[in-house]
Amino acid sequence: QPHVRTDGKRVGRKDGGEFTRAQFERRIFSTLGDVEARAVKKGDLLSILDALKADGKLRTANVLLADLKQMFRFAVARDIVDRNPLETVTKRDVGGADVERDRVLSAEELQQLSRALPDANLSKRSEIAIWLILSTGCRISEAMNAEWKDVDLPGRTWHLPETKNQRPHTIHLSDFAGKLLSRLLQLRVEDAKPGEATKRWVFPNSRGDGPVCIKSFGKQLADRQRPAERRLKNRAINTESLVLPGGRWTAHDLRRTAATTMAQLGVSTDVIDECLNHIIASRVSRVYIRDRRLKEQAHAFDLLGKRLSGLVSDPLKI
């Protein structure tokens, strides 16, 4: 469960373990049935992981392996089980070593993307989310969980109080990014029913009781980048509408594209790291250098916004 330690640092999983619980219910418990933890054998678990591997779900297999090993370590420490059946199993035995992605969308692909989006049958908010990630370099989780109370359009800032690395971050909004959020604010007002309070989330789900699921957004992009014969039931019909020449791309690749574009515009690596809210590698620098380079960040975001404006020329007519 997420909680704050005595030193003020936030730890735990933001969803309180909801995703892990769902994965266990779907893939582990439904297969093993009602069995005592100490009776579970390595072969029982490997058969489940091997099935995922055979289905091509390598990363899912690796994530499930890590969570299973963590669960059994917890159980061993509390004398619930005598040993961890997966202690000697590694990623190499399951999904293989995680491959570091290096996909970056070229300028030509960004232009092609802007032309393809109107026919992809995405919601207007999903279209805007793509360009917001590109123009701010934010993580998909930060975009989907954004709340209006943290957005200051007149002040041109978007504050992220909770981030992956536990370090609050404030993003300077370029003219390009500011227009995107202004359009989202307009949609917020248009969607409000008479007497209904406007929703707190920048990207509310269809029920209006929470933000859009991160995986839902990722699936929307993936469903539009698959051959027609691999279309999933009750999913997007235009299965190839977002296919680009450079191959499959994800929401995280948009963040990498933002960083790469900044570098191409002459922004230094240390400033890009601050724009993306990366943990500084050097422990000494983390401890002694407290300047977040806010002016340089603002300049970098403005350069990125101008570059995107020049490439896609107001794709959403915002």
Side-chain angles (χ1 to χ4, degrees), residues 144-290:
M144 294 300 105
N145 287 295
E147 297 187 33
W148 282 112
K149 65 181 178 61
D150 298 318
V151 177
D152 180 3
L153 285 174
R156 299 180 64 179
T157 61
W158 171 20
H159 183 62
L160 304 176
E162 294 187 22
T163 64
K164 180 180 179 181
N165 59 24
Q166 310 293 336
R167 188 172 72 154
H169 181 48
T170 299
I171 295 174
H172 168 78
L173 299 175
S174 64
D175 289 342
F176 187 90
K179 288 180 180 179
L180 295 171
L181 282 162
S182 294
R183 180 69 178 103
L184 287 168
L185 185 60
Q186 182 182 345
L187 289 174
R188 180 197 193 200
V189 175
E190 292 174 356
D191 291 347
K193 298 177 183 177
E196 179 186 51
T198 52
K199 298 175 179 64
R200 57 188 271 202
W201 296 279
V202 176
F203 294 98
N205 61 27
S206 58
R207 298 182 303 276
D209 58 1
V212 168
C213 172
I214 297 170
K215 289 191 170 294
S216 172
F217 179 68
K219 288 176 181 177
Q220 290 179 53
L221 302 184
D223 286 346
R224 290 161 175 78
Q225 298 179 71
R226 65 174 78 246
E229 61 272 16
R230 291 186 57 198
R231 177 180 178 261
L232 300 179
K233 187 178 180 180
N234 298 323
R235 300 276 272 274
I237 297 176
N238 301 329
T239 59
E240 299 181 8
S241 56
L242 295 183
V243 171
L244 296 176
R248 180 177 176 273
W249 56 277
T250 67
H252 193 74
D253 295 332
L254 300 176
R255 174 173 158 89
R256 186 181 299 107
T257 299
T260 301
T261 303
M262 285 183 178
Q264 293 169 344
L265 293 170
V267 180
S268 63
T269 302
D270 59 323
V271 173
I272 294 175
D273 281 338
E274 291 292 355
C275 288
L276 269 61
N277 197 27
H278 281 157
I279 287 289
I280 301 173
S282 168
R283 182 175 181 275
V284 173
S285 296
R286 290 200 305 269
V287 172
Y288 289 100
I289 302 177
R290 313 303 292 182

Side-chain angles (χ1 to χ4, degrees), residues 63-132:
V63 170
L64 201 56
L65 170 65
D67 284 341
L68 282 164
K69 293 178 76 170
Q70 181 181 357
M71 181 187 73
F72 277 107
R73 285 196 299 269
F74 177 94
V76 169
R78 287 155 181 79
D79 204 27
I80 298 172
V81 300
D82 299 323
R83 62 185 181 83
N84 183 345
L86 294 172
E87 186 173 358
T88 60
V89 180
T90 66
K91 288 182 178 180
R92 183 172 53 188
D93 304 310
V94 182
D98 291 333
V99 178
E100 185 175 313
R101 288 182 60 82
D102 58 3
R103 178 77 164 94
V104 173
L105 278 64
S106 67
E108 292 75 17
E109 286 183 311
L110 292 177
Q111 291 175 320
Q112 182 175 332
L113 178 61
S114 70
R115 294 191 295 269
L117 279 172
D119 298 322
N121 198 30
L122 284 169
S123 70
K124 183 60 68 175
R125 283 190 176 88
S126 293
E127 287 187 43
I128 294 176
I130 291 173
W131 298 110
L132 187 66

